[in-house]
Amino acid sequence: MSEPEKKEVSDKEKETAKQDEKEKDTAQGGKKTPVSGKAKPGSGKRSGTPSKGNKGAAEKGRSTPKGNAKSKTKEDVKAPTPDPTGETEEEEEGLPEGCVPLFMSAKSQEIFSCVCDTDVTEENPIKVIMKADIMEDFRNRAAVCDFHPVKQEVQDFPSDEIVIVYDPDFKFGQNFYIAVTEDAKEKILNPFGPEGEGGEGGEKEEEVVYKYIPPESKDWVSHGSEKEIKEENVVENRRRIKISARRIRKEFGAPCNFQDRNVADAKDAYVECTAYEDRTFELKKVELDKSIQAVPELTEQGTNTDWRYPRNANTQYYPREFSDKEKETVEKSNDLQTFTKDMVPRFELALQQNEIMDVFFIDWLHLGDADGSFGNKADNHLKEYQSFTDLQFSKDRTITAIQWHPTIKGVVAVAVAEKLSFDERIDNCAKVIMTPSLILIWSFTDPIHPQLLLEAPDDIYSFQFSPSDPNIICGGCYNGQVVLWDISAHADRLKQQRGSNRNKKSNVLLPPSPDKRLTFRNEGLLQPGFEDPNALKTPVVRYCAVSSIENSHRAAITDIQWVPDHMELNRMGVPQENKSLQACQIMSCATDYCVLVWDTRPVKGPGQLITAKETDKGPKNPIGVPNTFKHLDLSWKPILKVALHKSEPGGDHSPTKFTIQERQGDRGTLGKATDGTDLSKEAAMGGGYYTKPGSGKDKRTLQSVKTHFYVGTEDGEIVYVDWMPQKDQDTGKIQTPKPDFYHAIHDGPVNTLQRSPFFKDVVLCIGGWTFTLWKETVNSGPILQSAASTVKLSAGHWSPSRPGVFYIAKVDGSVDVWDLLDKTHEPCMTQNVSPVPITSLYPFPVSQKQHLMAVGDNAGTLHILEIPWSLRQPTANEYTGISNYFEREVKRRAFVVSRWDFREIEKRELEQEHKRKMGIAPNVQLTEEEIEYRQKQEYAAYLDEENTFLRELGLKDDDEPLPET
Amino acid sequence: MATDVEETLKRIQAHKGVIGIIVVNAEGIPIRTSLDNSTTVQYANLLTNLTMKARSVVRDIDPQNDLTFLRVRSKKHEILVAPEKDYLLITIQNPSET
């Protein structure tokens, strides 16, 4: 075995042994003891007998300690005696048995001629010393002798020769070790002695896993391959072909005589060698013996790159430019002169070409703009998107109002009310009181359960989210009270995505007992088996303020709106700037002949302002109602009352809807505000709901705000009135002036009065069976009035994105879509939505690409319809088109008015005439001659007329005299 | 003499829909412009490159040929470029205005 080979092997062994060690260290740590014991010379004696079993056991024990692998290899190296069997397992682990480490000084080495690396080397470490020499040394040097520590053993040593082994690496602590027993000596001298094979079996299993065993030659055993070899051999299996060629003896070696000869001369002169088909040609090789051996090629490669410290670096440059001077020189150069002269014609050509005609204009692209609106039938229908109904709270009740949440997409609130007339309501008073009045807030994420229930003292007929804080909701009750909710605590709930915490009970607010709410809530809770799981889940928000009954409306509130956040009204109805930009005022109307303005801020001085703020931070009251509007609850009074008296004595207008010109988000009027005397910052500080209404002097008056507003009444009238109260000439009282005009045009109560989102002076009014369009400056009448529909109209709304489109809901459950640019005499589309009458409708642009229309019906179902592209995408120039249309209508209106005047004059004249003919003398007395003269003139005129008439008929010639009458 | 240049440029500028005129030297440095500085620099730089490229295309196809005029039609404008040995005249026109 060569040296490198051996190294490899031992390296492998090292690794294996290391692994083994680890395992064994953990598994059988106790085995360490025998090893240490074995290292002692005493124990070595005991196990010194060369029995196989013992050896195995010893080996077993030896394999555990740390470092034995190393020693093993070293031992290998140390005893390089030729090893015919290649068994290397006969290695010493630790200090061999019966050996003792021994230090030999340089002097001793000389004495015993075993100088390190000279007499003894790493390869040949064994040195035999005669016992007698040592004994002599004892005598010569006594304790200085290096053998002194083992004196006894040396003396006891049975034979004459003592073996010491060079230990160059001080593995056992000293530079030599000595065999103190005969066994050890034997083992060192003859390491593969009798026990060579003995330990093999045991050791193999124990530790040596990878071991190189050089192959040894064995007798050949047949496995059948000799047959194959035989088959490969080529053997003769037929007789050889024998050919014999003969020639006459005398012709051998005779000279040749070549000469020309004709082929035909001799018989066998021509030998033909014809082509024939070789039968073996097409023989296919069917079987082929081939062998291949695949050896994976392994390569290891590495690469390393330098790491650079990353740094921010930047560079800045500016374009090269000429200075003015340089430019001048260039401009003056002849080059440029000639250049421009050359260039100009080319440019003029190109520019003129472009001027003459745009060759790249694609006619087709600009062809069908207008056709897109209703040309394709495929996609212009309202598609049902979702529908909401709550079995407990909204089924079989009517939806009175719908509002989309202004900021959170896909949240829509509906107010539901009993389907009862006033009389029925009184009859079923008990039932009505027991059932809660609610606003349901739905989210698209959950079509079955409302996200939130807002509780009201009575049925809500109109409500609105505050434009500046969507968590504040105002509502108008059937009993005339104005209610406020604060849903800030539940805002997160509305924002949540689908079903995230339906089961969270911490949100649930159970109203306490004092009124009917308890009954319906707790009934479910207390009776086992009748719990409504949903009752627990949907939080109910109690109103946090309600107006005082004595100061509220006397009839059901039919319309309620927040005053836009940039303005506020003072007690005199003067519009002023609201610097806080927090909507804090509400207008409401009811059929009790008035419109009221409410202020959500505390009425009294700043003292209350502070307390209000403090309580807000403090613990919430037990019902869980936020204290936002505590200062208002039950003591809330309107700051302004607009009474709607009729122009002529006797009677009032009972409003159902109203609309003011100012709109949320339009700050245009702020710019034209006139400064008040004092620009105090009072209004700006302290947030919206707590600032007290200013005295009026310190705020800028918004001059450009129109204080006139439209009111639609129960009797189908449109009233245009100034809300600013004025001093009445007769009574001296300050009160709302008489309306500027009113028209009784509709044949039923007005249910919708809405300004176009594109034209703030255009109002859509729906009532009874007709709708009308009004323009603010035109007082004489509507600019468009529809023909009476066959079905009663119940609600309507302008399209939020198309200026010429509005939607009208009807009691037969269908929705009309009107497009004023398409046709004005009939709806451009009618679609059935619900089997029951529709009560309200509200289209809303949820996103750029999705407009949804919420439609509430009389059965408590909220339908969400998707508005098709054609109805939400304005056509090209629709705005200008529709504004032109309105202008034309205004002109028509002006013409109508002028015709009215004309007719009036005409009528007056006719009457005059009539009276005169009837002989009713005008107040001027005419003389006899005058009368006669007039009659003569009249007669002459008559004759003239008769003449011309007859002449026209051809019955009379000019010269023919008139027959005398 | 400089007034000559002035006049001719004015003549071009007088055409309908012309937004601006830039005279650029061979290195792409603007010499005269009727536009603001940043636009001028941008146009000058980009169009010099484009024109050089276009010119090399024409010359590669036929070495005896040369680019005389370049018109780039875009959605909003038409950019007209006349390259010469030393200078480049760029005109931007809005054809829909014409």
Side-chain angles (χ1 to χ4, degrees), chain A residues 315-330:
Chain A
T315 176
Q316 198 177 9
Y317 70 95
Y318 55 90
R320 278 172 67 198
E321 272 176 53
F322 280 135
S323 66
D324 288 343
K325 214 173 182 182
E326 282 169 318
K327 274 185 191 172
E328 212 172 305
T329 49
V330 173

Side-chain angles (χ1 to χ4, degrees), chain A residues 274-452:
Chain A
T274 50
Y276 70 99
E277 203 177 332
D278 185 2
R279 252 188 275 157
T280 60
F281 183 76
E282 283 183 9
L283 195 67
K284 274 185 186 153
K285 199 182 261 185
V286 179
E287 214 171 294
L288 183 70
D289 281 347
K290 258 189 184 174
S291 64
I292 226 168
Q293 189 173 15
V295 178
E297 269 181 44
L298 294 177
T299 55
E300 258 181 47
Q301 276 179 345
T303 179
N304 205 1
T305 52
D306 285 349
W307 183 78
R308 300 278 177 205
Y309 185 76
R311 265 180 311 187
N312 291 334
N314 51 51
T315 176
Q316 198 177 9
Y317 70 95
Y318 55 90
R320 278 172 67 198
E321 272 176 53
F322 280 135
S323 66
D324 288 343
K325 214 173 182 182
E326 282 169 318
K327 274 185 191 172
E328 212 172 305
T329 49
V330 173
E331 275 170 32
K332 278 180 181 161
S333 68
N334 262 331
D335 283 353
L336 190 67
Q337 311 277 348
T338 48
F339 166 74
T340 39
K341 259 180 207 160
D342 289 350
M343 286 308 122
V344 165
R346 296 186 210 170
F347 271 96
E348 286 191 326
L349 181 75
L351 291 170
Q352 275 170 1
Q353 277 174 3
N354 282 344
E355 274 172 44
I356 291 162
M357 189 186 165
D358 186 358
V359 286
F360 294 97
F361 185 84
I362 302 167
D363 292 318
W364 293 110
L365 281 184
H366 301 267
L367 190 63
D369 269 356
D371 294 348
S373 54
F374 290 104
N376 48 345
K377 288 279 175 216
D379 180 39
N380 54 13
H381 283 275
L382 302 168
K383 282 193 281 290
E384 179 100 24
Y385 184 75
Q386 206 162 7
S387 73
F388 298 102
T389 180
D390 188 295
L391 294 176
Q392 190 180 356
F393 303 122
S394 76
K395 201 167 169 61
D396 295 329
R397 304 171 84 187
T398 180
I399 289 179
T400 52
I402 301 174
Q403 288 282 323
W404 288 85
H405 196 287
T407 52
I408 305 172
K409 304 290 176 214
V411 172
V412 60
V414 290
V416 288
E418 295 294 336
K419 282 196 281 189
L420 299 171
S421 69
F422 185 70
D423 291 335
E424 285 169 330
R425 215 172 248 272
I426 290 167
D427 292 344
N428 299 317
C429 187
K431 185 193 165 225
V432 170
I433 285 176
M434 293 305 279
T435 46
S437 303
L438 294 168
I439 291 177
L440 279 59
I441 300 185
W442 294 100
S443 169
F444 286 3
T445 55
D446 191 340
I448 302 163
H449 308 101
Q451 295 295 302
L452 217 54

Side-chain angles (χ1 to χ4, degrees), chain A residues 642-683:
Chain A
V642 181
L644 297 165
H645 305 297
K646 277 193 176 164
S647 318
E648 60 270 10
D652 298 296
H653 299 290
S654 53
T656 53
K657 294 282 166 187
F658 65 93
T659 175
I660 63 170
Q661 195 185 50
E662 277 310 295
R663 65 175 68 176
Q664 175 62 28
D666 183 9
R667 308 266 189 257
T669 51
L670 288 182
K672 294 171 195 160
T674 52
D675 287 349
T677 47
D678 179 23
L679 284 173
S680 95
K681 285 176 181 125
E682 194 191 359

Side-chain angles (χ1 to χ4, degrees), chain A residues 111-180:
Chain A
I111 293 169
F112 295 106
S113 65
C114 58
V115 181
C116 296
D117 301 330
T118 324
D119 298 312
V120 285
T121 58
E122 212 172 315
E123 283 80 28
N124 187 17
I126 300 164
K127 176 75 186 174
V128 178
I129 301 169
M130 300 311 287
K131 189 179 172 183
D133 291 348
I134 297 171
M135 297 308 275
E136 200 184 349
D137 197 44
F138 281 149
R139 274 194 297 280
N140 289 344
R141 297 201 292 170
V144 189
C145 174
D146 287 317
F147 288 95
H148 186 74
V150 289
K151 193 178 179 183
Q152 191 59 46
E153 282 88 336
V154 171
Q155 280 172 352
D156 291 350
F157 203 74
S159 72
D160 285 347
E161 288 169 344
I162 287 174
V163 171
I164 59 167
V165 180
Y166 177 44
D167 183 7
D169 294 340
F170 289 77
K171 249 183 305 175
F172 306 114
Q174 301 296 2
N175 57 353
F176 283 89
Y177 59 90
I178 179 167
V180 291

Side-chain angles (χ1 to χ4, degrees), chain A residues 222 322 436 619 633 682 957:
Chain A
S222 163
F322 280 135
D633 201 9
E682 194 191 359
D957 288 335

